[in-house]
Amino acid sequence: MSVATSAPPLPVTRTSSPRPRPSEDQLGFGKYFADHMLLVDYVAGDGWAQPRIVPYGPLALDPAASVLHYGQAMFEGLKAYRLADGQIALFRPDRNAHRMATGALRLSIPAIDETLFVQGIAQLVAADRDWVPSAPGTALYIRPTIIATEAFLGVRASQSYTFYVITGPVGAYYAGGLRPVRIWVERERVRAVKGGIGAAKAAANYVASLQVAEEARARGCDQVLWLDAIEHEYLEEVGTMNLCLVIDGMLITPPLGGSILPGITRDTVLTLARDWGMPVEERVISITELTAAHRAGTLQEVFGVGTAAVIQAVGTLTGADGDLVINGGQPGPIAQRLYDAITRLQYGLDPDPRGWRVII
Ligand SMILES: *Cc1c(COP(=O)(O)O)cnc(C)c1O
């Protein structure tokens, strides 16, 4: 499937001072930005203006802009991959477009057109195609964002917005093999609550997580296991990833109930596992059940799934009542099989029967 060629070209103002590109072996995450960005303004009554591609640079914001006071902001995250044959592909970008449109409703933000979202990104990546790295495991990370820009302190939804997309090369998440992480089980504070905004990729959900994540790091943990906001008992997410477990051969993930972000990697994992004939359940699962399965020896794997790492194996869960070591602290076979299959699809090494790759 190809999108870039089928859409009318957007106006492009090219930078007159292209930046030096970092070496591909020290990219890290979120440190480097490509030369251009996509910008689209919205004003109530007029709707979305003509999208344009312009040099990467600061935005002018009024100090009264409502995003700075009431937090009307959301984002997306996806990647462009350099394929084995040199072409560039996005992976399921229609799902990011749809999720942003759906999340916007909950945040009283006007939905961006889903076709414009995908085609705008395709043209932006095409404009910066030399920024898509090619070393194994690297990619061009794409960060679509919407912010409320109206200069007005009354508490209501803003009447103006800016949708922009920035990109930047990111390094291989795993230098050599899946590295299992140590996870803090948080029993008091929560990331999101049913009825709240946990199902939207709202900036505010991230604010709610930072203090707990910092404390977890101070305790030698990499990330946080989030439990439900009411009983502090049911598993929700791990860090900024969706959670999967394997108990007695069954792949289990908590159901999307309003407080869990509907991850695209989660959907990819469930789709592939069902294709493979693996037993799969989307159901509520408590920390008590997890602990009991560990004690009984049936808890085989725990892993997080999300765009950044694809699959993140959990080696240890730790909390007030001690450590649970999962699968001897090693990545399990299902996590490994999913990681291999998804990355092979993303990098064009396997056939793509569902048309998930979108060639730019
Ligand atoms: C973005 C995100 C995910 C993962 O979604 P993907 O589409 O798979 O990248 C999971 N949980 C939270 C809280 C997120 O913000």
Side-chain angles (χ1 to χ4, degrees):
M1 191 159 74
S2 178
V3 286
T5 48
S6 58
L10 301 176
V12 181
T13 309
R14 292 208 70 97
T15 181
S16 53
S17 47
R19 284 181 274 191
R21 285 203 293 283
S23 147
E24 290 191 6
D25 57 7
Q26 43 190 272
L27 293 175
F29 179 83
K31 292 191 293 181
Y32 301 105
F33 301 100
D35 280 327
H36 298 90
M37 61 184 184
L38 177 74
L39 269 185
V40 199
D41 292 317
Y42 173 95
V43 177
D46 300 344
W48 292 99
Q50 168 69 50
R52 54 199 203 281
I53 293 170
V54 298
Y56 181 99
L59 303 170
L61 269 191
D62 192 290
S66 41
V67 65
L68 302 176
H69 303 270
Y70 309 129
Q72 249 190 311
M74 64 185 304
F75 64 93
E76 267 301 328
L78 66 162
K79 288 175 175 174
Y81 304 87
R82 180 76 67 179
L83 307 186
D85 64 4
Q87 294 192 93
I88 296 168
L90 305 171
F91 188 70
R92 311 189 72 190
D94 56 308
R95 301 315 303 158
N96 297 92
H98 185 67
R99 183 167 68 191
M100 193 163 222
T102 312
L105 283 179
R106 179 66 181 85
L107 304 179
S108 293
I109 291 175
I112 185 96
D113 180 82
E114 294 179 33
T115 304
L116 185 150
F117 177 102
V118 175
Q119 293 183 344
I121 287 173
Q123 293 192 30
L124 175 67
V125 173
D128 278 329
R129 60 166 54 244
D130 292 348
W131 281 88
V132 184
S134 53
T138 62
L140 187 76
Y141 184 74
I142 303 166
R143 172 52 65 87
T145 309
I146 301 183
I147 55 169
T149 54
E150 188 186 1
F152 176 65
L153 295 184
V155 180
R156 60 152 170 74
S158 175
Q159 304 250 38
S160 61
Y161 297 85
T162 296
F163 170 65
Y164 64 90
V165 183
I166 54 176
T167 73
V170 295
Y173 203 90
Y174 298 107
L178 301 184
R179 182 186 69 89
V181 292
R182 188 177 171 84
I183 298 293
W184 171 256
V185 181
E186 173 62 28
R187 299 241 181 203
E188 277 176 32
R189 289 159 296 178
V190 300
R191 187 195 83 90
V193 54
K194 279 191 175 49
I197 57 173
K201 226 168 167 65
N205 291 324
Y206 278 67
V207 177
S209 75
L210 297 178
Q211 182 196 35
V212 184
E214 263 171 35
E215 289 177 14
R217 268 192 287 279
R219 291 185 175 104
C221 294
D222 303 275
Q223 274 296 353
V224 178
L225 179 68
W226 300 104
L227 303 179
D228 78 281
I230 295 161
E231 296 178 54
H232 302 281
E233 172 69 9
Y234 298 101
L235 311 180
E236 296 222 322
E237 299 207 53
V238 56
T240 58
M241 290 174 289
N242 294 114
L243 177 70
C244 291
L245 299 92
V246 181
I247 298 181
D248 225 357
M250 174 75 74
L251 178 66
I252 302 169
T253 190
L256 303 175
S259 54
I260 291 179
L261 197 286
I264 295 157
T265 316
R266 176 185 183 277
D267 184 75
T268 301
V269 160
L270 293 177
T271 305
L272 291 179
R274 286 181 176 128
D275 272 6
W276 297 338
M278 201 177 274
V280 172
E281 280 180 351
E282 291 178 68
R283 66 163 172 91
V284 291
I285 173 162
S286 65
I287 188 78
T288 307
E289 179 181 348
L290 180 154
T291 309
H294 183 266
R295 202 177 306 118
T298 54
L299 177 63
Q300 294 158 320
E301 301 189 35
V302 178
F303 50 92
V305 308
T307 296
V310 186
I311 303 288
Q312 176 117 66
V314 173
T316 308
L317 289 169
T318 186
D321 34 2
D323 281 6
L324 296 186
V325 176
I326 319 289
N327 193 41
Q330 295 305 310
I334 293 176
Q336 188 68 54
R337 182 176 179 193
L338 285 163
Y339 177 80
D340 293 342
I342 295 171
T343 52
R344 290 182 65 82
L345 274 170
Q346 290 169 332
Y347 287 96
L349 298 169
D350 276 348
D352 177 28
R354 291 192 161 79
W356 281 344
R357 284 193 294 267
V358 174
I359 305 292
I360 288 173

